[in-house]
Amino acid sequence: MLHLRHLTRIYRSKNSFIEILRKSNNLVITTTASVRPCRLSTQNAQEYSTTTRTDVVNNQPESSDDNILKRVLKRVGFSPNTKTRLRVSSHLLYESVADKINYLNFFKAFDMPNTFNSWFLVTELHVWMLLVRAMAEGSESGEDGRFLRNCIVEVMWGDVNARAKKLGTHNPSKTREQIEILSEQFQAALIAYDEGIMSDDRVLAGALWRRFFAMNCDDIIKIERLVKYVREQTVLLDQLQREDFLQKPKIAWADLEKITV
């Protein structure tokens, strides 16, 4: 089961998050007041990820040079606690899904067609798990966890919007309509998945059957396998130290091929 610190924070700010999700169409096209744009390129994100901080060794007092260096790094966004650092982390966390998940394994394991909608369903599930983990780092307004969560959502919609435009270049209005439908489905999926992770496997299985499988799966083994995957993955995320999630993301996704029931 997911660590208690996750479960107690999921619903504390759910109403405010639902309000943000209701504005998700604006997240795709424009910037809302609740979520600011993450304008760092992938190259910049990779460069920022190599940044390290200077620690005090053996409790020795820091020199004035060290203090000056830290102040300079903080001003330019290198401090691990700045919003800039969290924006960079949001890109790296989302890229751990979009670039590292083996989508073909999911399509094959769960008899999904190789389509944009199938890609989104797999992405949505993994992004949701990142959001749950982020909320453990602070769910209140202004706290790191909530800020990171909002930024991950915006990065995701930026990617979804770009991919959808490439696929629907000849019919922009249809593309926008598709994004709006996905936005509504996304908010409903997060609520259902939250309830599932806080409950037993039966409730989680129901949420996955309705959303991930679109109520079109009669093979209980497949559903059970995905439930087990989600449970194991949330445990792996829960075990990450704050630094390995917020500051220098090191996400290890479970290998679906090794999940058996």
Side-chain angles (χ1 to χ4, degrees), residues 221-237:
I221 300 299
K222 292 179 181 177
I223 301 175
E224 187 177 357
R225 184 182 182 188
L226 187 56
V227 168
K228 187 175 181 181
Y229 174 83
V230 170
R231 293 291 188 193
E232 291 191 9
Q233 186 58 62
T234 51
V235 169
L236 290 176
L237 290 172

Side-chain angles (χ1 to χ4, degrees), residues 33-227:
S34 301
V35 184
R36 295 182 179 179
C38 302
R39 295 181 177 137
L40 294 169
S41 66
T42 301
Q43 180 180 358
N44 288 339
Q46 292 173 344
E47 292 174 356
Y48 272 68
S49 68
T50 62
T51 305
T52 58
R53 58 176 180 173
T54 304
D55 295 322
V56 179
V57 180
N58 297 327
N59 296 323
Q60 294 296 323
E62 296 178 342
S63 67
S64 58
D65 290 339
D66 289 336
N67 289 330
I68 293 173
L69 177 60
K70 284 191 174 183
R71 287 199 297 270
V72 171
L73 291 177
K74 185 174 182 179
R75 287 179 65 86
V76 298
F78 280 84
S79 173
N81 295 322
T82 63
K83 299 303 183 184
T84 301
R85 175 68 258 178
L86 294 176
R87 291 179 188 277
V88 173
S89 294
S90 72
H91 279 267
L92 298 176
L93 287 167
Y94 177 74
E95 287 172 3
S96 76
V97 176
D99 295 342
K100 295 183 180 180
I101 294 298
N102 191 326
Y103 287 83
L104 294 179
N105 280 352
F106 279 84
F107 297 164
K108 179 180 179 181
F110 302 115
D111 293 329
M112 305 170 73
N114 190 348
T115 63
F116 176 77
N117 186 65
S118 295
W119 171 87
F120 182 78
L121 289 172
V122 176
T123 300
E124 174 186 78
L125 181 63
H126 289 82
V127 166
W128 162 71
M129 288 189 278
L130 291 179
L131 302 185
V132 172
R133 177 62 182 85
M135 292 297 283
E137 300 298 339
S139 60
E140 301 299 329
S141 178
E143 290 189 306
D144 289 347
R146 183 172 180 177
F147 181 84
L148 179 64
R149 176 203 65 183
N150 293 347
C151 221
I152 293 172
V153 170
E154 187 173 6
V155 174
M156 182 197 75
W157 283 118
D159 185 36
V160 171
N161 192 42
R163 291 172 185 263
K165 284 183 177 179
K166 288 182 179 180
L167 294 174
T169 53
H170 300 296
N171 195 338
S173 61
K174 185 176 182 180
T175 300
R176 182 179 179 84
E177 180 181 355
Q178 183 181 21
I179 295 296
E180 291 175 351
I181 293 174
L182 289 178
S183 174
E184 294 175 357
Q185 294 174 343
F186 179 69
Q187 19 180 326
L190 295 192
I191 295 173
Y193 287 162
D194 281 354
E195 293 175 349
I197 201 65
M198 295 180 68
S199 305
D200 57 25
D201 287 351
R202 179 180 59 84
V203 178
L204 179 57
L208 291 169
W209 179 73
R210 289 190 300 274
R211 175 55 180 161
F212 190 89
F213 293 102
M215 298 184 293
N216 187 30
C217 180
D218 298 326
D219 190 340
I220 189 63
I221 300 299
K222 292 179 181 177
I223 301 175
E224 187 177 357
R225 184 182 182 188
L226 187 56
V227 168

